């Protein structure tokens, strides 16, 4: 049977720990999971991005408005072409001064207007909820375009 002297065993353990630490430092860091998409905000808006002459307003394909009335007709997020960079969202372009009307049912809806405030372009969102036989609720929020 082989006997180990206490200090020798400790030295071997310290060297092993140092080697493992160096090995761990040389390995690539694990990738962080992708951030979840932002929750829909007022009027089912997921994001507002500045574009030339206006904004692109993104809605969820599922759980967003059933349709959005625009200056040029109707926009249905669920039927819009899929952008591979944003497969769960659908964007509609609007110019400064345009008004849009996202809606799901006669009891709830919104009006969106592309405006500037303090030199920043964005969307003024006015949400309403008018449940049958209950008091109505309204909320207004300015969403700055990124």
């Amino acid at each position: 049977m082989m006997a180990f002297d206490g200090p020798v065993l400790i030295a071997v353990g310290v060297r092993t720990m140092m080697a493992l630490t160096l090995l761990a430092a040389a390995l690539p860091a694990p990738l962080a999971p992708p951030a979840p998409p932002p929750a829909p905000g007022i009027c089912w808006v997921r994001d507002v991005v500045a574009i030339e002459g206006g904004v692109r307003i993104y809605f969820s394909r599922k759980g967003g408005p059933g349709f959005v009335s625009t200056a040029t007709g109707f926009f249905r997020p669920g039927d819009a072409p899929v952008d591979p960079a944003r497969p769960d969202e659908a964007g509609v372009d609007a110019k400064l001064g345009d008004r849009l009307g996202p809606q799901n049912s006669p009891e709830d809806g919104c009006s969106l207007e592309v405006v500037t405030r303090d030199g920043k372009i964005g969307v003024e969102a006015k949400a309403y909820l008018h449940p049958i036989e209950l008091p109505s609720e309204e909320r207004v929020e300015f969403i700055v375009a990124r």
Side-chain angles (χ1 to χ4, degrees), residues 64-125:
F67 67 91
V68 180
S69 61
T70 69
T72 59
F74 288 100
F75 171 75
R76 295 185 187 279
D79 296 339
V82 175
D83 176 352
R86 296 181 93 140
D88 297 331
E89 300 170 337
V92 62
D93 294 349
K95 298 181 296 192
L96 188 61
D98 280 356
R99 291 178 186 221
L100 296 89
Q103 193 162 359
N104 259 346
S105 72
E107 290 86 27
D108 65 346
C110 285
S111 67
L112 303 173
E113 184 176 2
V114 182
V115 298
T116 57
R117 280 200 190 157
D118 300 324
K120 296 180 181 182
I121 193 164
V123 174
E124 183 176 84

